[in-house]
């Protein structure tokens, strides 16, 4: 993998994006930047009240966090989100030994996802020392729609227990960064299964050493509603794997002159793509 460098083009693009907004934001559209109203603690609920004055019950880990960690009590205000773009402000009405009842103070709001849904395919099954956790956490924070472990000849497996842990990492990161749409962690997929997805995608990028710089490739690319990005394993793809992915229609992009770790390359490419999408959205306004 290769590193991302701040070229004059990228600096100008980033500066233009920053001048367009009056508040700090992390690669987000105007709709997404307004998701968080701040101040109120936010909790997940798979069901939201249908309307103002409706009541839902929150149990399990979220109940524990609400009452034992934050020590919230009756009449305290909170926000609930459902991971699908739904958000509502509520008030704790009842607390008992099994859960809390939250009454809605308003009608639920629904926020659309980011203008381009990026699906990440990264061969990180062999990463050690928390590096896979870091990759999933940062993909969640940056706004990836999904992350799929890619199984390759040099990264042939990922343990089921590890996938369960990564799902918890993603959920915690979604709450921390206050995104309203959950990031999906898909089951692992082999390179052969990826090829059909690449063929059917109008936007698909694969990070390759010495390829055209990513922003050069994007300069002649039209934004679509969804796209996918592919990162190889430590030691990179084999020549055969690389050839079949390119033949399926993926665009090769470079990330600078240095060799990058899998997780660094993933974050570098995803950041560039999210920044590019933001710039495209700004140019439309």
């Amino acid at each position: 993998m290769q590193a991302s460098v701040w070229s004059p083009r990228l600096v100008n693009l980033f500066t233009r994006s920053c001048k367009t907004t009056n508040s700090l934001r992390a690669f987000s559209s105007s709709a997404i930047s307004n998701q968080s109203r701040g101040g109120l603690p936010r909790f997940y609920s798979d069901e939201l009240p249908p309307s103002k004055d409706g009541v839902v019950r929150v149990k399990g880990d979220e109940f524990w966090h609400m009452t034992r960690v934050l020590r919230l009590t009756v009449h305290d205000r909170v926000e609930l989100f459902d991971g699908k773009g739904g958000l509502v402000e509520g008030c704790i009405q009842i607390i008992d030994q099994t859960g809390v009842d939250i009454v809605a103070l308003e009608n639920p709001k629904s926020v659309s996802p980011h203008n381009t849904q990026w699906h990440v395919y990264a061969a990180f099954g062999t990463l050690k020392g928390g590096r896979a956790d870091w990759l999933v956490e940062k993909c969640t924070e940056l706004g990836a729609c999904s992350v799929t472990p890619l199984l390759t000849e040099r990264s042939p497996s990922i343990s089921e227990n590890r996938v369960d842990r990564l799902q918890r990492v993603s959920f915690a990161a979604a709450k921390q960064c206050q995104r309203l749409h959950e990031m999906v962690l898909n089951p692992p997929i082999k390179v052969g299964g990826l090829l059909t997805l690449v063929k059917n995608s109008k936007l698909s990028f694969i990070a390759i050493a010495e390829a055209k710089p990513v922003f050069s490739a994007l300069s002649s690319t039209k934004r679509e509603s969804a796209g996918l990005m592919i990162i190889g394993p430590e030691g990179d793809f084999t020549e055969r794997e690389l050839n079949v992915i390119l033949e399926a229609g993926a665009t090769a992009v470079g990330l600078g002159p240095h060799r990058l770790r899998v997780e660094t390359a993933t974050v570098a490419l995803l950041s560039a793509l999210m920044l590019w999408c933001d710039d495209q959205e700004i140019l439309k306004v």
Side-chain angles (χ1 to χ4, degrees):
M1 297 299 97
Q2 293 192 343
S4 178
V5 295
W6 287 93
S7 65
R9 173 182 173 81
L10 180 53
V11 171
N12 291 336
L13 190 154
F14 181 75
T15 302
R16 186 167 69 232
S17 297
C18 289
K19 287 180 179 178
T20 306
T21 180
N22 293 323
S23 60
L24 181 63
R25 58 199 177 95
F27 308 131
S28 57
S29 69
S30 57
I32 298 300
S33 65
N34 290 329
Q35 284 186 359
S36 171
R37 291 168 290 186
L40 297 180
R42 182 176 293 180
F43 302 94
Y44 172 78
S45 174
D46 56 4
E47 180 183 358
L48 297 182
S51 60
K52 183 179 179 181
D53 297 326
V55 178
V56 294
R57 188 160 183 83
V58 177
K59 299 186 290 186
D61 291 342
E62 294 294 83
F63 162 57
W64 177 272
H65 187 210
M66 193 182 298
T67 59
R68 301 299 178 88
V69 178
L70 298 183
R71 299 189 181 279
L72 300 181
T73 187
V74 173
H75 303 312
D76 282 339
R77 293 162 57 207
V78 298
E79 286 183 339
L80 297 179
F81 78 106
D82 61 5
K84 302 176 181 64
L87 178 69
V88 67
E89 182 177 332
C91 178
I92 298 177
Q93 186 180 59
I94 297 173
I95 302 176
D96 58 33
Q97 292 184 341
T98 62
V100 300
D101 288 343
I102 308 293
V103 59
L105 300 177
E106 59 181 14
N107 291 325
K109 294 178 172 59
S110 181
V111 178
S112 299
H114 195 277
N115 50 74
T116 297
Q117 300 293 287
W118 288 106
H119 300 273
V120 177
Y121 295 83
F124 59 87
T126 59
L127 299 188
K128 296 179 174 62
R131 289 163 54 197
D133 291 7
W134 189 87
L135 182 152
V136 169
E137 179 183 78
K138 300 313 170 189
C139 284
T140 304
E141 292 179 13
L142 287 169
C145 180
S146 70
V147 168
T148 304
L150 184 59
L151 304 182
T152 69
E153 292 185 28
R154 292 174 177 145
S155 180
S157 65
I158 183 170
S159 71
E160 185 173 336
N161 290 339
R162 198 172 194 191
V163 172
D164 290 341
R165 171 178 170 76
L166 292 174
Q167 288 176 330
R168 294 193 297 271
V169 168
S170 177
F171 176 71
K175 288 182 61 179
Q176 185 277 328
C177 71
Q178 296 197 322
R179 64 179 285 174
L180 295 182
H181 298 83
E182 65 178 342
M183 189 193 76
V184 179
L185 186 64
N186 290 317
I189 187 173
K190 294 182 178 181
V191 170
L194 176 65
L195 301 181
T196 299
L197 300 175
V198 173
K199 290 177 182 177
N200 293 332
S201 175
K202 295 181 180 179
L203 283 181
S204 59
F205 300 98
I206 179 171
I208 297 178
E210 300 180 2
K212 179 190 299 185
V214 59
F215 274 92
S216 295
L218 290 171
S219 63
S220 58
T221 301
K222 179 183 177 182
R223 183 168 60 83
E224 301 289 345
S225 60
L228 58 89
M229 51 164 281
I230 306 162
I231 303 292
E234 294 180 328
D236 218 333
F237 291 108
T238 64
E239 184 175 354
R240 184 193 66 81
E241 290 173 328
L242 184 57
N243 287 337
V244 294
I245 294 172
L246 291 174
E247 288 171 2
T251 299
V253 294
L255 299 173
H258 303 134
R259 178 180 295 175
L260 297 184
R261 291 179 181 270
V262 175
E263 67 275 20
T264 311
T266 302
V267 170
L269 182 52
L270 179 58
S271 298
L273 294 174
M274 295 297 287
L275 181 59
W276 173 70
C277 288
D278 258 13
D279 188 62
Q280 295 292 301
E281 185 70 17
I282 289 167
L283 293 175
K284 286 173 55 181
V285 177

